[in-house]
Amino acid sequence: MQIAPILAALKKHRMATFLIAMEIALACAVLCNALYLVTERVRLSHVQSGVDEDRLVAITLDGVTDDQAADLAPRLRQRLAQLPGVESVSVANATPFGPQAGEMGFRIDPNDPVFHLQGHFYLGDANFAKTLGLRLVSGRWFTLDDYAHVDGFLPKTSVVLVDADYAAKLWPGQDPLGKVVLSGNQTLRVVGLLARLVRPNPSPFATTNAFLMPTLPGTGLASVYLLRTVPGHAEEVFRRATAAISRDERGVIINAQASGPLVTLRDAYFANTRSMAMMMVGVIAALLLVSALGIVGLASFWVQQRRQQIGIRRAIGATRRDILHYFQLENFLIVGGGIVVGMVLAYVLSAVLMKQYELPLLPAYYLPYGALILWLLGQLAVLGPARRAAAVPPVVATRNI
């Protein structure tokens, strides 16, 4: 099949060809970025937290004043530890899949004047690692001498643990142990690498930029309690713990949205992620439907206009397959032109999203996926009109003679 006759025919319908190509270009730009966002959202919902989620209960209290904190934290930790089914209790500033409470800028180069990196600093007591079930890859755990009270925002300590994957990004090709992290007016030295520790509010582009600092319970650390339970008793322990706090601690309020078994908090956290993914799937489906209808409409219009020409071609020897291939190739060229423009638009759209919402630039490998989907869509959409064109009998060529 020669392309030159097809291009000559398209020149006679420039406006219609241009509009369909631009529709495909817009569809390609939106489709590639939507596929990227959906894929990342689905991947995020399966993120590994690094903690024993099915055995953890989180309780977050509101209304804890500094005057209450010093006495409340050790008293409540001891009371919760005595509940049936509880193996250990920890006091912290945040929990995975809960509200963030330790987001801070930091730097790793002492000569860098700007705190341009952003991370979440978990503050946890001596039971934090044991309660959550954290695992150490290298280095050491905190010692009792490392723990300090919160002074302002962070404890006055000089050591920190960091997620191993995140450490590899901060110091690629280097041993992170002994490296320094500067935050505020503190210089923290990395003494150990955690196998995995997800931040409280993981996103597709920031999941493990988390640090752990040794902190003594009391002022500044008395609102979040993590309970490690025996297997299968998280729900029961949560009910007992909240009942005990409501009965004995009248001066505080349990934050219902930030409290519960960790598996429940995880499910609630990713509810919006799942809804957004479904919404994006709906957008993709609607976009592909509109594109397909446009292709079908244009192809049907052209078949109606060219019935006599098709009849002439059939009369001089063209087979049904030749006519079918003609329209398929014509559609392939139109869609291909739209895809080329659409790939450029995809990066423009991605750059806008990156600037507006701080999202990474669209990975290049999503472009072939979008192109393939649109090419297949175009071939399926044109198939019906092309088959009708192939069915035009040669006698049509003589009707107006």
Side-chain angles (χ1 to χ4, degrees):
M1 177 68 66
Q2 294 183 354
I3 296 179
I6 297 177
L7 296 178
L10 292 178
K11 287 181 180 179
K12 297 180 181 179
H13 304 86
R14 293 177 182 175
M15 183 55 66
T17 302
F18 174 78
L19 291 176
I20 289 296
M22 288 303 98
E23 181 184 354
I24 295 298
L26 180 61
C28 180
V30 176
L31 176 63
C32 291
N33 282 279
L35 285 175
Y36 176 43
L37 293 176
V38 169
T39 301
E40 291 304 312
R41 292 289 171 177
V42 171
R43 184 181 302 168
L44 176 64
S45 66
H46 294 91
V47 66
Q48 297 296 316
S49 63
V51 304
D52 297 333
E53 298 177 24
D54 58 337
R55 299 182 62 180
L56 291 174
V57 168
I59 298 176
T60 300
L61 305 179
D62 293 333
V64 179
T65 65
D66 289 343
D67 293 337
Q68 293 175 297
D71 179 58
L72 176 66
R75 183 180 72 248
L76 192 53
R77 183 174 63 173
Q78 181 179 7
R79 184 172 301 164
L80 293 174
Q82 295 173 348
L83 293 175
V86 175
E87 292 186 347
S88 64
V89 179
S90 174
V91 188
N93 68 332
T95 178
F97 313 117
Q100 69 177 41
E103 191 77 9
M104 283 196 68
F106 69 95
R107 52 195 170 99
I108 58 176
D109 182 0
N111 298 318
D112 187 349
V114 181
F115 294 86
H116 59 89
L117 297 171
Q118 199 76 10
H120 187 276
F121 289 78
Y122 280 102
L123 311 185
D125 65 5
N127 286 339
F128 187 84
K130 174 185 174 182
T131 300
L132 268 68
L134 299 178
R135 289 166 287 279
L136 197 67
V137 173
S138 62
R140 66 172 178 84
W141 292 110
F142 299 133
T143 65
L144 292 179
D145 293 335
D146 294 327
Y147 288 85
H149 285 288
V150 174
D151 185 359
F153 189 76
L154 298 177
K156 287 298 181 181
T157 183
S158 60
V159 295
V160 67
L161 296 177
V162 62
D163 175 87
D165 288 342
Y166 188 55
K169 297 177 182 177
L170 292 177
W171 299 282
Q174 304 178 51
D175 183 1
L177 295 179
K179 299 294 185 182
V180 296
V181 174
L182 298 99
S183 186
N185 59 355
Q186 289 184 248
T187 298
L188 307 167
R189 192 165 301 278
V190 177
V191 296
L193 303 180
L194 297 169
R196 183 79 169 177
L197 179 58
V198 73
R199 58 179 291 121
N201 54 338
S203 72
F205 319 107
T207 55
T208 59
N209 54 334
F211 300 88
L212 174 58
M213 299 184 66
T215 312
L216 292 173
T219 303
L221 193 72
S223 297
V224 179
Y225 297 82
L226 290 160
L227 289 69
R228 184 179 182 86
T229 70
V230 296
H233 287 73
E235 289 282 356
E236 181 182 353
V237 166
F238 175 65
R239 289 194 297 269
R240 289 174 176 171
T242 52
I245 294 173
S246 299
R247 182 185 65 246
D248 300 333
E249 303 294 342
R250 300 299 178 87
V252 298
I253 301 171
I254 298 175
N255 185 328
Q257 291 185 333
S259 302
L262 207 63
V263 291
T264 303
L265 295 182
R266 179 189 178 110
D267 187 65
Y269 179 82
F270 286 119
N272 289 336
T273 298
R274 291 189 294 270
S275 297
M276 181 176 291
M278 292 302 296
M279 181 183 68
M280 294 303 298
V281 169
V283 169
I284 293 173
L287 188 67
L288 294 179
L289 177 61
V290 170
S291 300
L293 291 176
I295 294 171
V296 170
L298 182 63
S300 298
F301 173 72
W302 282 351
V303 168
Q304 187 63 33
Q305 277 197 328
R306 300 174 183 175
R307 284 182 63 81
Q308 188 172 11
Q309 299 172 7
I310 296 169
I312 292 173
R313 289 198 59 191
R314 290 295 311 279
I316 62 177
T319 65
R320 289 190 175 189
R321 178 174 295 181
D322 292 334
I323 302 300
L324 185 66
H325 288 176
Y326 176 91
F327 281 94
Q328 287 179 319
L329 181 56
E330 183 180 67
N331 174 266
F332 186 86
L333 293 175
I334 295 173
V335 173
I339 287 173
V340 171
V341 178
M343 288 182 176
V344 178
L345 291 179
Y347 271 106
V348 173
L349 178 59
S350 180
V352 172
L353 292 174
M354 179 177 66
K355 183 177 181 180
Q356 191 73 21
Y357 300 104
E358 299 182 355
L359 303 179
L361 195 64
L362 174 71
Y365 56 81
Y366 279 91
L367 297 178
Y369 291 135
L372 180 61
I373 291 173
L374 289 172
W375 262 319
L376 291 174
L377 176 71
Q379 292 300 297
L380 290 174
V382 81
L383 187 59
R387 288 171 64 89
R388 289 195 298 273
V392 173
V395 71
V396 170
T398 63
R399 285 181 179 175
N400 295 327
I401 298 177

